Amino acid sequence: MKLFIKAILPCFLFVNLSVGAQTKQQPIPRVDQMADVPKPFEIIDYNKLAHDFDKVVFDFNAKGKFWPMVWIDKTQKNYPQDVVGMYTAIGDVRQGPDNNKGMFHEALANMGATLGATLVGIDKTNSQNRNYVGMLKNYFNKDTGWDIMMNNTAPEVALLGGGYGRDWWYDVYPNVLFYAIYDKYPNEPGFEEIARKIADKFYEADVILKGNYDYSYFDYGKMLPMKNNICAQPDAAAGHAWVLYSAYKKFGDEKYLKGAESALLALQSQSKNPTYELLMPFGAYLGARINAEKNKNYDVNKMLDWTFDGTPICREGWGVLVGNWNGIDISGIVGSTVDHGGYGFLMNTYDAAWPLVPIVRYDQSYANAIGKWMLNAANASKFFYPKYMPDDHEIIPELTAVSKDVIAYEGIIKQSNYPEHQNIKAPVAQGDGPLWVPGKNPQESQLSVYGSGHVGIFGSIIKKTNVDGILQLDLLATDFFHDKAYPSYLYYNPFKEKNTITITTEKGKKVDLYDTVSGKFVAKNVSSSAKIKLDAKSSAVIVMIPSNGKITYSGSKMLVNDVVVDYKFQQKK
């Protein structure tokens, strides 16, 4: 790829300041099957949608059928404080202030919504005069002796879908969410103690497992691996590894690094794809990061292929969907590639972007592949929302006004798995709600509150440029516990021709723009904006560094003022 810069100065000048060598791009075969520019094409404003979700859903005085979506749980499980409850889905008959003492609510909803809002700049420690961040402590199950974050506050809600001793990813993922929130609120009282206890539990569990994660779940109270009617989930190792490496970066304890590397090795050593739910992309991300920061050699390609391919040994077909169904591209969404022809889920898609996008910081050879996937995923994800999915593709179009334009269907399926809706043409927007309590759950529970709350992940990463179809992807937004870094963005041109985009920099500061893909400084002394040309189907990873900084090298790393700018710098031959 040839990359040139047009800096905005008294006159426009193209400059070509060569430093390193071009990085050869590595494909992700599943992404290669996706449309270059998906149709019908429109990237919605996910940042605004995240703000709207926060304002509407956290309104205790909201009016309308099924509203409000939140209530106060006064059972004070685990900590002597009240906690907000949030519906999993609109009209979920299992939940609310009058059901089960108001204590059935999921961490995936509460933590996801809290993290999503935080990522787009909302302070959830002081929102509507409530500290929603502090409330999350109630999910730390100290009363049970598990001493980790769990999806519910108490074991008595297990039969309602709580996940206790049942489904490993449900036990691991709340801790991943917690650590991300902890990174954003490091001074929240009690969080450091909780974070250390979680890391200690995960480290001790990894020692006990000895590289064998071939279990349905782990009992963190008895410290025993367990099997039940759910198939084994070896990809839980990815969640363990991500949490432990985060703890290592936060606390500096080498045992956490040891545990992270042990868990990641256990994941990588699988002979067949062990993907189960949300955790595999965290393994791919961590492999790339540890390779870059610690000079290791984890097989990132293997874990990325596992993430996308849809051929796991347990949940057959779980991966990333590809296809155009009746003129609508659904490529990029995450879920089952085989269930009723394909069944993708909104939360899985949002959350996959969290680890996959920042991979490019640590290994720019994936810039094209991740850029193309994100373009497809960002385009397809709008169709989960009633506002953007045509009525004749929805299960309950007559009731979608209750979504208030902020709550989406849980999934998009090729052929509905409800007999009464199999005449709806693909893609079909629906949810699993009516299956949770057969014969009791209303149709309205097709609309997923808990999945929609994760919209802030997309909202913090995605920003449109002046060229429709070329996105600016923030590589730091979800790169939690990262070392000191300069603003870093991925730009991918999906078109068959060159395009010129405008990059805006922070006013009042002069920066030099360095592209890790081409290995070049492409502009110097930029004080407001610059224009760059991207070749067809090519990418740039632009790092905005202080002008005239001191360049040094350490192994494969290029640093400016002792801050790593390029982890995989290649000297031009």
Side-chain angles (χ1 to χ4, degrees):
M1 181 196 76
K2 294 179 180 178
L3 181 65
F4 299 91
I5 188 72
K6 207 177 187 181
I8 294 185
L9 296 168
C11 61
F12 292 114
L13 295 174
F14 283 100
V15 294
N16 186 3
L17 306 172
S18 182
V19 173
Q22 181 83 18
T23 298
K24 182 179 179 180
Q25 293 298 294
Q26 299 192 69
I28 298 175
R30 190 83 174 160
V31 176
D32 288 343
Q33 301 173 33
M34 298 179 186
D36 291 332
V37 181
K39 297 177 181 179
F41 185 77
E42 180 189 4
I43 303 298
I44 65 174
D45 189 340
Y46 289 100
N47 189 287
K48 181 179 184 301
L49 183 55
H51 279 88
D52 291 344
F53 178 93
D54 183 77
K55 181 179 180 180
V56 173
V57 171
F58 280 97
D59 182 1
F60 284 81
N61 298 311
K63 306 299 182 183
K65 187 178 182 181
F66 305 115
W67 290 81
M69 287 294 112
V70 288
W71 70 92
I72 293 296
D73 170 6
K74 294 183 176 294
T75 57
Q76 299 194 353
K77 294 292 183 179
N78 300 304
Y79 279 86
Q81 62 176 10
D82 296 342
V83 60
V84 66
M86 179 180 292
Y87 280 91
T88 293
I90 288 180
D92 192 327
V93 297
R94 306 169 299 174
Q95 297 178 311
D98 300 322
N99 290 319
N100 302 294
K101 300 180 181 180
M103 67 180 177
F104 180 34
H105 43 86
E106 297 192 63
L108 293 185
N110 251 335
M111 288 186 177
T114 300
L115 177 62
T118 299
L119 288 173
V120 296
I122 299 170
D123 181 1
K124 295 302 287 181
T125 62
N126 185 19
S127 182
Q128 299 111 13
N129 296 317
R130 290 186 172 93
N131 182 354
Y132 293 101
V133 177
M135 289 179 180
L136 299 178
K137 289 185 292 188
N138 290 62
Y139 292 106
F140 182 73
N141 276 237
K142 63 181 182 180
D143 290 351
T144 65
W146 281 48
D147 281 350
I148 63 169
M149 287 286 177
M150 299 196 75
N151 197 38
N152 303 111
T153 60
E156 52 261 47
V157 298
L159 295 179
L160 302 173
Y164 273 79
R166 187 178 62 86
D167 202 343
W168 204 350
W169 85 270
Y170 266 118
D171 296 332
V172 171
Y173 199 58
N175 298 279
V176 176
L177 286 166
F178 170 77
Y179 255 84
I181 294 167
Y182 177 41
D183 183 39
K184 296 298 182 181
Y185 299 98
N187 299 317
E188 182 62 29
F191 270 27
E192 179 177 340
E193 179 185 7
I194 289 173
R196 286 184 180 273
K197 286 184 176 180
I198 291 168
D200 287 340
K201 280 283 186 176
F202 279 17
Y203 174 77
E204 292 163 10
D206 182 78
V207 171
I208 291 167
L209 289 163
K210 296 179 180 178
N212 178 15
Y213 278 74
D214 194 29
Y215 293 94
S216 303
Y217 71 101
F218 192 90
D219 186 322
Y220 296 90
K222 298 178 181 177
M223 297 305 290
L224 291 173
M226 306 292 288
K227 289 189 176 182
N228 58 20
N229 62 313
I230 293 179
C231 61
Q233 300 178 34
D235 63 337
H240 270 196
W242 189 90
V243 167
L244 286 167
Y245 196 72
S246 298
Y248 163 69
K249 298 300 289 189
K250 177 65 179 180
F251 303 120
D253 191 328
E254 291 289 331
K255 79 174 184 181
Y256 298 143
L257 173 61
K258 180 181 178 181
E261 292 180 334
S262 171
L264 195 57
L265 184 61
L267 178 70
Q268 180 179 279
S269 67
Q270 299 296 309
S271 60
K272 295 182 180 179
N273 188 349
T275 296
Y276 184 80
E277 185 76 21
L278 285 172
L279 297 172
M280 184 58 70
F282 288 90
Y285 157 83
L286 192 57
R289 182 171 177 180
I290 294 182
N291 286 351
E293 292 187 339
K294 299 296 182 182
N295 196 30
K296 299 294 183 178
N297 192 33
Y298 290 102
D299 193 341
V300 179
N301 281 337
K302 184 178 186 178
M303 289 181 274
L304 281 174
D305 287 345
W306 281 344
T307 296
F308 281 85
D309 279 353
T311 56
I313 55 177
C314 172
R315 302 178 82 182
E316 180 187 359
W318 201 265
V320 178
L321 279 68
V322 174
N324 181 292
W325 298 342
N326 293 312
I328 297 177
D329 273 308
I330 54 79
S331 293
I333 62 176
V334 180
S336 173
T337 63
V338 297
D339 186 3
H340 288 77
Y343 195 0
F345 297 92
L346 181 61
M347 187 181 78
N348 296 66
T349 306
Y350 281 156
D351 288 23
W354 161 358
L356 290 177
V357 171
I359 282 178
V360 179
R361 271 200 72 218
Y362 301 101
D363 192 338
Q364 60 268 33
S365 67
Y366 298 108
N368 283 3
I370 296 299
K372 182 177 180 179
W373 168 68
M374 273 300 292
L375 182 67
N376 276 270
N379 184 72
S381 292
K382 67 178 179 286
F383 293 116
F384 289 93
Y385 290 85
K387 181 178 181 179
Y388 300 101
M389 180 66 93
D391 286 355
D392 58 351
H393 290 274
E394 298 179 43
I395 289 284
I396 48 169
E398 71 280 6
L399 293 174
T400 53
V402 301
S403 74
K404 298 191 176 184
D405 291 338
V406 299
I407 298 176
Y409 284 96
E410 182 181 11
I412 291 176
I413 195 169
K414 191 169 187 179
Q415 183 180 32
S416 177
N417 53 352
Y418 302 113
E420 66 271 28
H421 296 302
Q422 290 184 1
N423 62 325
I424 301 177
K425 63 182 180 180
V428 183
Q430 65 165 52
D432 280 343
L435 303 177
W436 297 335
V437 186
K440 296 182 179 180
N441 241 28
Q443 284 286 75
E444 291 81 356
S445 56
Q446 307 270 3
L447 296 166
S448 171
V449 183
Y450 85 126
S452 303
H454 296 229
V455 62
I457 294 172
F458 267 29
S460 66
I461 292 171
I462 301 169
K463 187 176 182 180
K464 294 195 285 188
T465 68
N466 61 299
V467 177
D468 198 25
I470 299 180
L471 304 179
Q472 174 181 282
L473 304 178
D474 190 334
L475 302 183
L476 296 181
T478 56
D479 188 17
F480 299 103
F481 296 98
H482 65 73
D483 292 338
K484 184 177 180 180
Y486 301 122
S488 304
Y489 302 96
L490 166 61
Y491 304 88
Y492 173 68
N493 176 17
F495 301 104
K496 296 179 181 179
E497 62 277 340
K498 293 180 180 180
N499 274 284
T500 302
I501 62 171
T502 301
I503 295 177
T504 303
T505 62
E506 185 178 350
K507 291 183 178 180
K509 293 184 179 180
K510 287 187 176 182
V511 296
D512 297 339
L513 303 184
Y514 175 81
D515 173 29
T516 68
V517 174
S518 66
K520 297 175 181 177
F521 280 96
V522 294
K524 291 201 170 187
N525 297 315
V526 178
S527 59
S528 58
S529 62
K531 295 181 182 294
I532 70 169
K533 285 185 178 179
L534 290 173
D535 277 352
K537 299 183 181 181
S538 67
S539 56
V541 175
I542 300 297
V543 185
M544 302 178 181
I545 64 179
S547 289
N548 303 313
K550 181 182 178 182
I551 300 173
T552 55
Y553 302 89
S554 176
S556 64
K557 300 179 180 69
M558 171 188 167
L559 303 89
V560 174
N561 296 341
D562 297 323
V563 175
V564 178
V565 170
D566 188 342
Y567 283 93
K568 296 180 75 68
F569 176 80
Q570 302 176 59
Q571 185 65 48
K572 190 172 183 179
K573 296 180 181 179

